[in-house]
């Protein structure tokens, strides 16, 4: 399921499982409208793109302000990480997947990239890029 | 201009300049409708998202087929990398910027993420995520 490029020096914990567990847990909270878990696992110097940002957001203060604008204002019943893949080295990892988030009969489809970096021994998101999958865009 | 997190062992070349030079050169070709330079600097196992992909593309064969569908069918007069940032370690780098691509009086605005990995001594793109900045999306 995952492609791994491990560092030569073996670690005691499995970093791929660790990152997937962080992401899964954060997304479970997100689906309840709780944005704080993603903020907790984001680095102080996190950078961020989504379709609503006029430019890249830089840093946890900008990201917190952005996320908290819509905290509690959305809800999903369940989600799927479709075909998650992690490329990983000793201190960097890039997790990508297609996200499907369901609410009643509706489903949202997203392209998700989360880059993680080891910060003082813990994996933290250093970059998020979220975009809708095949949106119907009005040109001009 | 760039934030760098360098590995402890110093390298002879400046990897940030090296990556920016690869990206700049590939984008100059891209603006002429030439997609081959980006393919040359992409890893065999590159992964890819853009607004047209129904799911993540996996591997250079899928990406080549995708890029070559529109090779020569677009043109930009010039481009700007707005506020490029690289997070880098010994063998991984994440480059992000807002792209503005100009053609005559029109400008396209994009969010760009390119993750690079050292492959046999050369930096290669292992993941690209491109999405339009603040698109006007028709919901449903």
């Amino acid at each position: 399921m995952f492609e791994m490029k491990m560092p030569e020096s073996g670690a005691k914990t499995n970093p791929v499982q660790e990152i997937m567990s962080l992401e899964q847990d954060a997304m479970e909270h997100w689906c309840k409208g709780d944005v704080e878990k993603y903020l907790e696992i984001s680095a102080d110097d996190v950078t961020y793109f989504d379709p609503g940002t006029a430019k890249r957001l830089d840093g946890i203060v900008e990201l917190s302000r952005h996320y908290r604008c819509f905290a509690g204002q959305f809800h999903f019943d369940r989600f799927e990480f479709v075909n998650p893949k992690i490329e990983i080295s000793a201190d960097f990892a890039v997790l990508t997947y297609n996200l499907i988030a369901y609410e009643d009969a509706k489903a949202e489809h997203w392209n998700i990239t989360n880059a993680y970096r080891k910060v003082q021994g813990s994996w933290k998101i250093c970059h998020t890029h979220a975009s809708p999958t095949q949106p119907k865009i009005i040109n001009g």
Side-chain angles (χ1 to χ4, degrees), chain A:
Chain A
M1 187 170 192
F2 301 116
E3 286 189 33
M4 287 180 57
K5 289 196 167 53
M6 287 290 291
E8 286 183 9
S9 58
K12 281 184 188 171
T13 56
N14 179 330
V16 168
Q17 286 175 359
E18 195 181 337
I19 288 168
M20 285 309 301
S21 173
L22 287 170
E23 186 84 17
Q24 185 90 14
D25 185 42
M27 187 60 76
E28 280 168 12
H29 282 78
W30 185 268
C31 285
K32 296 171 190 161
D34 173 9
V35 304
E36 296 301 318
K37 190 62 75 173
Y38 264 115
L39 291 174
E40 272 173 34
I41 63 166
S42 294
D44 288 348
D45 59 352
V46 62
T47 57
Y48 179 89
F49 289 127
D50 80 19
T53 52
K55 60 178 188 62
R56 190 187 61 216
L57 303 185
D58 288 346
I60 194 71
V61 171
E62 288 190 15
L63 184 59
S64 299
R65 193 181 301 133
H66 181 64
Y67 276 178
R68 287 172 183 159
C69 280
F70 42 84
Q73 298 180 32
F74 62 96
H75 172 266
F76 297 104
D77 301 320
R78 64 189 178 88
F79 65 92
E80 277 177 65
F81 291 158
V82 180
N83 197 19
K85 182 179 176 188
I86 296 188
E87 284 232 42
I88 193 163
S89 68
D91 55 1
F92 243 102
V94 179
L95 167 62
T96 58
Y97 54 87
N98 282 102
L99 170 68
I100 311 179
Y102 300 90
E103 191 193 4
D104 299 326
K106 289 189 296 186
E108 290 193 7
H109 294 254
W110 290 82
N111 305 327
I112 304 292
T113 300
N114 273 324
Y116 283 75
R117 199 182 71 226
K118 267 270 174 85
V119 179
Q120 295 171 335
S122 301
W123 289 103
K124 296 282 186 183
I125 297 173
C126 62
H127 175 65
T128 293
H129 191 152
S131 68
T133 305
Q134 293 190 314
K136 294 173 189 163
I137 297 174
I138 305 167
N139 289 316

